[in-house]
Amino acid sequence: GNSVTQMEGPVTLSEEAFLTINCTYTATGYPSLFWYVQYPGEGLQLLLKATKADDKGSNKGFEATYRKETTSFHLEKGSVQVSDSAVYFCALSDPNMRFGAGTRLTVKP
Amino acid sequence: KAGVTQTPRYLIKTRGQQVTLSCSPISGHRSVSWYQQTPGQGLQFLFEYFSETQRNKGNFPGRFSGRQFSNSRSEMNVSTLELGDSALYLCASSLGDSTSGYTFGSGTRLTVV
C-alpha cells in the first residue's frame, strides 16, 4: 500500500542553520503530499502541501517540492529559528491522510 | 472562524471502563477523521465519517467505534479499555476529502490505569 518514510530524528540545529528533513513516498498514482507540524501539547497543523508533480508548497519560510522522479517531498528552510522547534510529519492522501513517523527538530540559540 | 474542538482535553480511566470522546469540526466541514497517536506506533488512522456515514476504517478492533451527527459533530467510543489504549486521540476535519489537507484539534489525552 501507499506509505511515507521520513528521516529519523532527532535533528538538532543552531539558530539560522539550514534545515532539510527528507521524505520519500511509495504510492500508486499521484497522491497529494503534505507537511504537518506539531508543537508540544498541541494537535498537528498543516504547514504546506503540493497536489501534483513539480508543485512547490511553501509557508513561513518552509518549502517542499513534489518530485515524481525521486518520489520525494523533502522539507527545507533556509534559516531556522528557536520557535521552529517541533515535530514535523510528512503525509500523503491515500484517500485518508497517511503519516510518516515524524522528525523531532530542536533549534538551539 | 472557530477551529476543531475536542473535549475533554484529558481523561483518566480504569481498565475495563468505556470512554466517549467528542469532536466539533470547523463549520462547513463535513468530514471528520480520528487518529490515535502513541510514541511507539505514531499516528494511526481509526476511522473517517462523512455526512453521518463511516466512509473509511483503519485496522483497529471493534472496541473502537464512532458516529457522526447531522451537524457534523463526531464522537468516538472505546469500550472495555486496555492499558494499551492510553494515547493522544486526534480529530481532524476537512471539507470533503484529504486532498486539501486536514485541520486538527488539540486532542484528547487518554490515560488508562
Side-chain angles (χ1 to χ4, degrees), chain A residues 4 6 18-25 31-36 46-78 88-91:
Chain A
V4 169
Q6 60 182 105
F18 184 85
L19 168 72
T20 299
I21 300 178
N22 291 339
C23 171
T24 57
Y25 67 91
S32 295
L33 300 175
F34 306 84
W35 278 100
Y36 287 82
L46 178 62
L47 182 58
L48 54 84
K49 66 180 181 184
T51 57
K52 60 183 188 299
D54 299 325
D55 265 3
K56 177 185 281 189
S58 61
N59 186 27
K60 299 180 181 180
F62 291 90
E63 293 182 340
T65 302
Y66 192 136
R67 302 281 188 204
K68 187 176 66 172
E69 60 278 8
T70 53
T71 61
S72 65
F73 192 57
H74 305 322
L75 182 68
E76 296 182 336
K77 186 176 186 185
Y88 292 81
F89 293 91
C90 185

Side-chain angles (χ1 to χ4, degrees), chain A residues 10 17 31 58 71 79 106 108:
Chain A
S58 61
T71 61
S79 176
T106 301
K108 301 194 172 207

Side-chain angles (χ1 to χ4, degrees), chain A residues 32 34 36 38 41-44 46 49 51 89 93-97 99, chain B residues 9 33 35 37 43 45 48 56 88 90 98-102 104-106:
Chain A
S32 295
F34 306 84
Y36 287 82
Q38 186 175 32
E42 298 183 14
L44 280 70
L46 178 62
K49 66 180 181 184
T51 57
F89 293 91
S93 57
D94 180 34
N96 296 98
M97 205 68 67
F99 292 90
Chain B
R9 286 297 308 273
S33 298
Y35 286 81
Q37 186 178 27
L43 283 152
F45 171 68
E48 182 213 2
N56 288 293
L88 180 66
L90 291 165
S98 64
T99 56
S100 58
Y102 287 168
F104 280 85
S106 297

Side-chain angles (χ1 to χ4, degrees), chain B residues 20-57:
Chain B
T20 299
L21 313 182
S22 179
C23 172
S24 293
I26 287 176
S27 178
H29 283 193
R30 296 167 65 189
S31 170
V32 173
S33 298
W34 289 89
Y35 286 81
Q36 182 195 65
Q37 186 178 27
T38 59
Q41 299 297 318
L43 283 152
Q44 293 189 285
F45 171 68
L46 280 155
F47 28 66
E48 182 213 2
Y49 286 86
F50 180 82
S51 292
E52 302 180 65
T53 301
Q54 188 179 84
R55 187 159 68 174
N56 288 293
K57 187 177 188 306

